Amino acid sequence: MSGRIDAHVHLWDRTTDPQDWIDPQTMQAIDRDFGADELTAMLASTGVRSAIVVQASNSLDESVRLARLASPVIAGLVAWVDLAGDIRGQLDRIRMGGATPVVGIRHLAHIDPDPEWLSREEVGRGMAALEAERLSFDLVVRDWQLGQAARLADRHDGMRFVLDHLGGPPAPGGDLGEWAAGLRELARRPNVTAKLSGLSSGLAAGSWTARDLAPVVDVALDAFGPSRLMYGSDWPLAELGGGAPAWIAAVETLLDGLSAAERDRVFGGTAREAYSLA
């Protein structure tokens, strides 16, 4: 597989998989369904060849349906399984009749009722099963959970972890101290990579520029280096912040000082490696 990769997109059909987190008042831009055809158009608008589809809810049924989507632009699926359950059985169910390969697993730990979910014993056993399956695990956490993520990566140092949305840094103008310290500590684990994604999704369209996001991206570049960062649009949530074309244009600006080889890593190479793409 060659060409640019968008390492983080979502698709949903709310007739089968309701997305109750979508507020119709404040999230009007995404208060509808998004399918493979729209994904193809979005990727074309950003000059990206393919994408990793990521689960949007902690639902095995949703993961089964996402795996059955057939599209040449979908390179893989980061699915959800109950890590306290039968990992192999759940993966078999997702893969059965699936058109899209499962390349990783994710759990919405940032909204789990247990604030220490990442530290639970049964989660650790589940991680060991994922490692045996050679699957990566996406970390969707907030800044106060970065320490837990680092300890998890230490306990499973033979497994690949991918930090989504840089761990939820503060909005432009906020104090980056605690987040930056946690990010740098996590980045010391060589088995962790991170996504340049989601930074504009929580901002109002037209309220931000690449310069506003530069302090956060500079910390990420210093902590992980371009060889362990990957581009993700976080589409369709990117529509809340002005759209995927605006976001990728900002990333291009923020990475302007990198070499061609380093940019190739961010826009595809790191994702291929982290998700074992052919």
mmCIF file of all heavy atoms in Angstrom, residues 153-191:
data_model
loop_
_atom_site.group_PDB
_atom_site.id
_atom_site.type_symbol
_atom_site.label_atom_id
_atom_site.label_comp_id
_atom_site.label_asym_id
_atom_site.label_seq_id
_atom_site.Cartn_x
_atom_site.Cartn_y
_atom_site.Cartn_z
ATOM 1 N N ALA A 153 1.649 0.870 28.846
ATOM 2 C CA ALA A 153 2.645 0.591 27.802
ATOM 3 C C ALA A 153 3.868 -0.107 28.382
ATOM 4 O O ALA A 153 4.480 -0.953 27.721
ATOM 5 C CB ALA A 153 3.048 1.885 27.112
ATOM 6 N N ASP A 154 4.230 0.218 29.629
ATOM 7 C CA ASP A 154 5.345 -0.462 30.293
ATOM 8 C C ASP A 154 5.016 -1.929 30.549
ATOM 9 O O ASP A 154 5.864 -2.811 30.365
ATOM 10 C CB ASP A 154 5.662 0.220 31.628
ATOM 11 C CG ASP A 154 6.468 1.496 31.468
ATOM 12 O OD1 ASP A 154 7.118 1.664 30.421
ATOM 13 O OD2 ASP A 154 6.445 2.320 32.405
ATOM 14 N N ARG A 155 3.784 -2.188 30.987
ATOM 15 C CA ARG A 155 3.397 -3.569 31.318
ATOM 16 C C ARG A 155 3.301 -4.447 30.076
ATOM 17 O O ARG A 155 3.410 -5.676 30.183
ATOM 18 C CB ARG A 155 2.063 -3.577 32.070
ATOM 19 C CG ARG A 155 2.124 -2.991 33.468
ATOM 20 C CD ARG A 155 0.862 -3.316 34.267
ATOM 21 N NE ARG A 155 -0.335 -2.726 33.704
ATOM 22 C CZ ARG A 155 -0.774 -1.487 33.990
ATOM 23 N NH1 ARG A 155 -0.078 -0.722 34.824
ATOM 24 N NH2 ARG A 155 -1.884 -1.030 33.448
ATOM 25 N N HIS A 156 3.082 -3.818 28.922
ATOM 26 C CA HIS A 156 2.943 -4.576 27.673
ATOM 27 C C HIS A 156 3.908 -3.993 26.647
ATOM 28 O O HIS A 156 3.507 -3.470 25.606
ATOM 29 C CB HIS A 156 1.491 -4.505 27.187
ATOM 30 C CG HIS A 156 0.504 -5.005 28.194
ATOM 31 N ND1 HIS A 156 0.223 -6.343 28.361
ATOM 32 C CD2 HIS A 156 -0.241 -4.349 29.119
ATOM 33 C CE1 HIS A 156 -0.668 -6.489 29.330
ATOM 34 N NE2 HIS A 156 -0.967 -5.297 29.811
ATOM 35 N N ASP A 157 5.185 -4.109 26.958
ATOM 36 C CA ASP A 157 6.191 -3.421 26.140
ATOM 37 C C ASP A 157 6.433 -4.087 24.795
ATOM 38 O O ASP A 157 7.149 -3.541 23.949
ATOM 39 C CB ASP A 157 7.507 -3.269 26.911
ATOM 40 C CG ASP A 157 8.085 -4.593 27.383
ATOM 41 O OD1 ASP A 157 7.493 -5.657 27.096
ATOM 42 O OD2 ASP A 157 9.141 -4.572 28.053
ATOM 43 N N GLY A 158 5.823 -5.241 24.565
ATOM 44 C CA GLY A 158 5.928 -5.874 23.255
ATOM 45 C C GLY A 158 4.757 -5.558 22.349
ATOM 46 O O GLY A 158 4.672 -6.082 21.228
ATOM 47 N N MET A 159 3.865 -4.680 22.817
ATOM 48 C CA MET A 159 2.652 -4.345 22.079
ATOM 49 C C MET A 159 2.726 -2.920 21.575
ATOM 50 O O MET A 159 3.360 -2.050 22.186
ATOM 51 C CB MET A 159 1.445 -4.505 23.019
ATOM 52 C CG MET A 159 0.099 -4.333 22.376
ATOM 53 S SD MET A 159 -1.203 -4.726 23.585
ATOM 54 C CE MET A 159 -2.636 -4.250 22.624
ATOM 55 N N ARG A 160 2.069 -2.646 20.443
ATOM 56 C CA ARG A 160 2.050 -1.300 19.881
ATOM 57 C C ARG A 160 0.826 -0.536 20.403
ATOM 58 O O ARG A 160 -0.301 -1.047 20.351
ATOM 59 C CB ARG A 160 2.004 -1.351 18.355
ATOM 60 C CG ARG A 160 3.225 -1.985 17.720
ATOM 61 C CD ARG A 160 3.145 -1.888 16.196
ATOM 62 N NE ARG A 160 1.928 -2.489 15.674
ATOM 63 C CZ ARG A 160 1.797 -3.778 15.375
ATOM 64 N NH1 ARG A 160 2.814 -4.598 15.562
ATOM 65 N NH2 ARG A 160 0.658 -4.248 14.891
ATOM 66 N N PHE A 161 1.063 0.684 20.880
ATOM 67 C CA PHE A 161 -0.002 1.565 21.338
ATOM 68 C C PHE A 161 -0.021 2.820 20.472
ATOM 69 O O PHE A 161 1.042 3.314 20.059
ATOM 70 C CB PHE A 161 0.194 1.950 22.806
ATOM 71 C CG PHE A 161 0.004 0.811 23.765
ATOM 72 C CD1 PHE A 161 1.067 -0.017 24.110
ATOM 73 C CD2 PHE A 161 -1.242 0.552 24.322
ATOM 74 C CE1 PHE A 161 0.893 -1.079 24.981
ATOM 75 C CE2 PHE A 161 -1.431 -0.505 25.195
ATOM 76 C CZ PHE A 161 -0.360 -1.325 25.531
ATOM 77 N N VAL A 162 -1.226 3.324 20.216
ATOM 78 C CA VAL A 162 -1.394 4.530 19.403
ATOM 79 C C VAL A 162 -2.211 5.534 20.212
ATOM 80 O O VAL A 162 -3.357 5.255 20.583
ATOM 81 C CB VAL A 162 -2.116 4.221 18.071
ATOM 82 C CG1 VAL A 162 -2.261 5.501 17.256
ATOM 83 C CG2 VAL A 162 -1.364 3.154 17.279
ATOM 84 N N LEU A 163 -1.634 6.678 20.502
ATOM 85 C CA LEU A 163 -2.327 7.716 21.259
ATOM 86 C C LEU A 163 -3.180 8.553 20.319
ATOM 87 O O LEU A 163 -2.676 9.202 19.405
ATOM 88 C CB LEU A 163 -1.317 8.607 21.985
ATOM 89 C CG LEU A 163 -1.906 9.776 22.785
ATOM 90 C CD1 LEU A 163 -2.741 9.270 23.951
ATOM 91 C CD2 LEU A 163 -0.791 10.700 23.275
ATOM 92 N N ASP A 164 -4.498 8.561 20.559
ATOM 93 C CA ASP A 164 -5.408 9.348 19.734
ATOM 94 C C ASP A 164 -5.415 10.810 20.174
ATOM 95 O O ASP A 164 -5.392 11.120 21.374
ATOM 96 C CB ASP A 164 -6.836 8.807 19.837
ATOM 97 C CG ASP A 164 -6.989 7.441 19.192
ATOM 98 O OD1 ASP A 164 -6.031 6.972 18.549
ATOM 99 O OD2 ASP A 164 -8.074 6.844 19.333
ATOM 100 N N HIS A 165 -5.459 11.704 19.209
ATOM 101 C CA HIS A 165 -5.684 13.132 19.448
ATOM 102 C C HIS A 165 -4.689 13.749 20.441
ATOM 103 O O HIS A 165 -5.017 14.702 21.162
ATOM 104 C CB HIS A 165 -7.110 13.359 19.947
ATOM 105 C CG HIS A 165 -8.160 12.634 19.168
ATOM 106 N ND1 HIS A 165 -8.063 12.407 17.803
ATOM 107 C CD2 HIS A 165 -9.332 12.057 19.554
ATOM 108 C CE1 HIS A 165 -9.135 11.737 17.392
ATOM 109 N NE2 HIS A 165 -9.901 11.503 18.425
ATOM 110 N N LEU A 166 -3.478 13.181 20.467
ATOM 111 C CA LEU A 166 -2.408 13.683 21.353
ATOM 112 C C LEU A 166 -2.835 13.738 22.815
ATOM 113 O O LEU A 166 -2.292 14.509 23.610
ATOM 114 C CB LEU A 166 -1.921 15.070 20.902
ATOM 115 C CG LEU A 166 -1.251 15.136 19.524
ATOM 116 C CD1 LEU A 166 -0.771 16.556 19.234
ATOM 117 C CD2 LEU A 166 -0.076 14.159 19.425
ATOM 118 N N GLY A 167 -3.813 12.923 23.192
ATOM 119 C CA GLY A 167 -4.195 12.861 24.599
ATOM 120 C C GLY A 167 -5.031 14.037 25.069
ATOM 121 O O GLY A 167 -5.123 14.275 26.280
ATOM 122 N N GLY A 168 -5.657 14.755 24.155
ATOM 123 C CA GLY A 168 -6.566 15.825 24.550
ATOM 124 C C GLY A 168 -5.898 17.034 25.178
ATOM 125 O O GLY A 168 -6.184 17.381 26.325
ATOM 126 N N PRO A 169 -5.017 17.724 24.449
ATOM 127 C CA PRO A 169 -4.355 18.912 24.997
ATOM 128 C C PRO A 169 -5.345 20.048 25.223
ATOM 129 O O PRO A 169 -6.433 20.058 24.633
ATOM 130 C CB PRO A 169 -3.341 19.282 23.917
ATOM 131 C CG PRO A 169 -3.929 18.746 22.655
ATOM 132 C CD PRO A 169 -4.618 17.469 23.052
ATOM 133 N N PRO A 170 -4.980 21.019 26.059
ATOM 134 C CA PRO A 170 -5.854 22.184 26.271
ATOM 135 C C PRO A 170 -6.077 22.959 24.977
ATOM 136 O O PRO A 170 -5.273 22.894 24.035
ATOM 137 C CB PRO A 170 -5.075 23.036 27.290
ATOM 138 C CG PRO A 170 -4.154 22.068 27.964
ATOM 139 C CD PRO A 170 -3.779 21.067 26.905
ATOM 140 N N ALA A 171 -7.177 23.688 24.921
ATOM 141 C CA ALA A 171 -7.475 24.535 23.766
ATOM 142 C C ALA A 171 -6.440 25.640 23.662
ATOM 143 O O ALA A 171 -5.730 25.948 24.637
ATOM 144 C CB ALA A 171 -8.873 25.130 23.913
ATOM 145 N N PRO A 172 -6.294 26.267 22.494
ATOM 146 C CA PRO A 172 -5.329 27.354 22.325
ATOM 147 C C PRO A 172 -5.469 28.405 23.419
ATOM 148 O O PRO A 172 -6.570 28.817 23.773
ATOM 149 C CB PRO A 172 -5.696 27.928 20.952
ATOM 150 C CG PRO A 172 -6.253 26.757 20.209
ATOM 151 C CD PRO A 172 -7.017 25.963 21.230
ATOM 152 N N GLY A 173 -4.314 28.789 23.955
ATOM 153 C CA GLY A 173 -4.292 29.775 25.029
ATOM 154 C C GLY A 173 -4.286 29.166 26.411
ATOM 155 O O GLY A 173 -4.046 29.857 27.406
ATOM 156 N N GLY A 174 -4.564 27.844 26.518
ATOM 157 C CA GLY A 174 -4.585 27.183 27.814
ATOM 158 C C GLY A 174 -3.185 26.812 28.279
ATOM 159 O O GLY A 174 -2.212 26.855 27.523
ATOM 160 N N ASP A 175 -3.083 26.439 29.537
ATOM 161 C CA ASP A 175 -1.813 26.036 30.135
ATOM 162 C C ASP A 175 -1.464 24.621 29.680
ATOM 163 O O ASP A 175 -2.186 23.673 29.990
ATOM 164 C CB ASP A 175 -1.923 26.096 31.659
ATOM 165 C CG ASP A 175 -0.621 25.737 32.362
ATOM 166 O OD1 ASP A 175 0.382 25.456 31.667
ATOM 167 O OD2 ASP A 175 -0.611 25.717 33.611
ATOM 168 N N LEU A 176 -0.373 24.474 28.960
ATOM 169 C CA LEU A 176 0.018 23.178 28.412
ATOM 170 C C LEU A 176 0.879 22.363 29.361
ATOM 171 O O LEU A 176 1.218 21.218 29.054
ATOM 172 C CB LEU A 176 0.798 23.376 27.103
ATOM 173 C CG LEU A 176 0.092 24.113 25.962
ATOM 174 C CD1 LEU A 176 0.989 24.117 24.724
ATOM 175 C CD2 LEU A 176 -1.255 23.487 25.644
ATOM 176 N N GLY A 177 1.220 22.908 30.528
ATOM 177 C CA GLY A 177 2.218 22.293 31.389
ATOM 178 C C GLY A 177 1.942 20.851 31.765
ATOM 179 O O GLY A 177 2.770 19.952 31.532
ATOM 180 N N GLU A 178 0.790 20.590 32.366
ATOM 181 C CA GLU A 178 0.488 19.235 32.836
ATOM 182 C C GLU A 178 0.349 18.272 31.670
ATOM 183 O O GLU A 178 0.878 17.145 31.708
ATOM 184 C CB GLU A 178 -0.794 19.250 33.665
ATOM 185 C CG GLU A 178 -1.150 17.908 34.266
ATOM 186 C CD GLU A 178 -2.363 17.971 35.175
ATOM 187 O OE1 GLU A 178 -2.843 19.091 35.464
ATOM 188 O OE2 GLU A 178 -2.835 16.893 35.604
ATOM 189 N N TRP A 179 -0.335 18.703 30.617
ATOM 190 C CA TRP A 179 -0.479 17.836 29.439
ATOM 191 C C TRP A 179 0.876 17.537 28.812
ATOM 192 O O TRP A 179 1.174 16.383 28.479
ATOM 193 C CB TRP A 179 -1.388 18.509 28.411
ATOM 194 C CG TRP A 179 -1.284 17.873 27.063
ATOM 195 C CD1 TRP A 179 -1.864 16.727 26.643
ATOM 196 C CD2 TRP A 179 -0.487 18.344 25.965
ATOM 197 N NE1 TRP A 179 -1.499 16.446 25.341
ATOM 198 C CE2 TRP A 179 -0.654 17.429 24.904
ATOM 199 C CE3 TRP A 179 0.334 19.463 25.779
ATOM 200 C CZ2 TRP A 179 -0.011 17.594 23.673
ATOM 201 C CZ3 TRP A 179 0.972 19.622 24.557
ATOM 202 C CH2 TRP A 179 0.797 18.686 23.518
ATOM 203 N N ALA A 180 1.702 18.559 28.635
ATOM 204 C CA ALA A 180 3.009 18.379 27.979
ATOM 205 C C ALA A 180 3.890 17.431 28.775
ATOM 206 O O ALA A 180 4.583 16.572 28.193
ATOM 207 C CB ALA A 180 3.701 19.732 27.793
ATOM 208 N N ALA A 181 3.871 17.553 30.096
ATOM 209 C CA ALA A 181 4.677 16.663 30.931
ATOM 210 C C ALA A 181 4.211 15.220 30.762
ATOM 211 O O ALA A 181 5.035 14.294 30.636
ATOM 212 C CB ALA A 181 4.599 17.096 32.388
ATOM 213 N N GLY A 182 2.896 15.013 30.767
ATOM 214 C CA GLY A 182 2.367 13.668 30.596
ATOM 215 C C GLY A 182 2.655 13.102 29.223
ATOM 216 O O GLY A 182 2.973 11.914 29.079
ATOM 217 N N LEU A 183 2.565 13.947 28.200
ATOM 218 C CA LEU A 183 2.841 13.488 26.841
ATOM 219 C C LEU A 183 4.306 13.099 26.678
ATOM 220 O O LEU A 183 4.627 12.065 26.091
ATOM 221 C CB LEU A 183 2.479 14.580 25.840
ATOM 222 C CG LEU A 183 2.528 14.118 24.375
ATOM 223 C CD1 LEU A 183 1.243 13.389 24.011
ATOM 224 C CD2 LEU A 183 2.738 15.293 23.427
ATOM 225 N N ARG A 184 5.188 13.916 27.200
ATOM 226 C CA ARG A 184 6.621 13.609 27.089
ATOM 227 C C ARG A 184 6.966 12.312 27.816
ATOM 228 O O ARG A 184 7.785 11.512 27.338
ATOM 229 C CB ARG A 184 7.435 14.766 27.647
ATOM 230 C CG ARG A 184 7.358 16.050 26.815
ATOM 231 C CD ARG A 184 8.247 17.145 27.401
ATOM 232 N NE ARG A 184 8.037 18.415 26.760
ATOM 233 C CZ ARG A 184 8.575 18.787 25.603
ATOM 234 N NH1 ARG A 184 9.355 17.931 24.950
ATOM 235 N NH2 ARG A 184 8.342 19.981 25.094
ATOM 236 N N GLU A 185 6.339 12.092 28.969
ATOM 237 C CA GLU A 185 6.604 10.858 29.715
ATOM 238 C C GLU A 185 6.104 9.651 28.933
ATOM 239 O O GLU A 185 6.799 8.632 28.830
ATOM 240 C CB GLU A 185 5.931 10.927 31.089
ATOM 241 C CG GLU A 185 6.177 9.716 31.978
ATOM 242 C CD GLU A 185 7.651 9.506 32.316
ATOM 243 O OE1 GLU A 185 8.420 10.489 32.320
ATOM 244 O OE2 GLU A 185 8.032 8.339 32.565
ATOM 245 N N LEU A 186 4.908 9.740 28.358
ATOM 246 C CA LEU A 186 4.387 8.641 27.554
ATOM 247 C C LEU A 186 5.269 8.386 26.339
ATOM 248 O O LEU A 186 5.507 7.233 25.960
ATOM 249 C CB LEU A 186 2.954 8.959 27.114
ATOM 250 C CG LEU A 186 2.241 7.918 26.249
ATOM 251 C CD1 LEU A 186 2.145 6.569 26.967
ATOM 252 C CD2 LEU A 186 0.863 8.399 25.851
ATOM 253 N N ALA A 187 5.757 9.448 25.724
ATOM 254 C CA ALA A 187 6.574 9.321 24.514
ATOM 255 C C ALA A 187 7.911 8.635 24.781
ATOM 256 O O ALA A 187 8.567 8.174 23.839
ATOM 257 C CB ALA A 187 6.812 10.697 23.898
ATOM 258 N N ARG A 188 8.309 8.541 26.035
ATOM 259 C CA ARG A 188 9.550 7.828 26.368
ATOM 260 C C ARG A 188 9.409 6.334 26.120
ATOM 261 O O ARG A 188 10.410 5.623 26.040
ATOM 262 C CB ARG A 188 9.922 8.086 27.825
ATOM 263 C CG ARG A 188 10.368 9.521 28.120
ATOM 264 C CD ARG A 188 10.670 9.704 29.594
ATOM 265 N NE ARG A 188 11.674 8.745 30.055
ATOM 266 C CZ ARG A 188 11.919 8.479 31.332
ATOM 267 N NH1 ARG A 188 11.219 9.065 32.285
ATOM 268 N NH2 ARG A 188 12.857 7.612 31.671
ATOM 269 N N ARG A 189 8.183 5.854 25.974
ATOM 270 C CA ARG A 189 7.950 4.435 25.682
ATOM 271 C C ARG A 189 8.045 4.236 24.173
ATOM 272 O O ARG A 189 7.225 4.753 23.423
ATOM 273 C CB ARG A 189 6.573 3.992 26.167
ATOM 274 C CG ARG A 189 6.511 3.700 27.661
ATOM 275 C CD ARG A 189 6.640 4.919 28.515
ATOM 276 N NE ARG A 189 6.697 4.570 29.947
ATOM 277 C CZ ARG A 189 6.987 5.446 30.888
ATOM 278 N NH1 ARG A 189 7.253 6.705 30.585
ATOM 279 N NH2 ARG A 189 7.029 5.065 32.148
ATOM 280 N N PRO A 190 9.026 3.475 23.697
ATOM 281 C CA PRO A 190 9.231 3.333 22.246
ATOM 282 C C PRO A 190 8.108 2.589 21.537
ATOM 283 O O PRO A 190 8.022 2.639 20.307
ATOM 284 C CB PRO A 190 10.557 2.563 22.151
ATOM 285 C CG PRO A 190 10.684 1.849 23.455
ATOM 286 C CD PRO A 190 10.055 2.746 24.466
ATOM 287 N N ASN A 191 7.245 1.915 22.280
ATOM 288 C CA ASN A 191 6.141 1.169 21.677
ATOM 289 C C ASN A 191 4.877 2.008 21.541
ATOM 290 O O ASN A 191 3.804 1.474 21.250
ATOM 291 C CB ASN A 191 5.833 -0.100 22.487
ATOM 292 C CG ASN A 191 5.511 0.174 23.952
ATOM 293 O OD1 ASN A 191 6.061 1.091 24.550
ATOM 294 N ND2 ASN A 191 4.653 -0.638 24.550
#
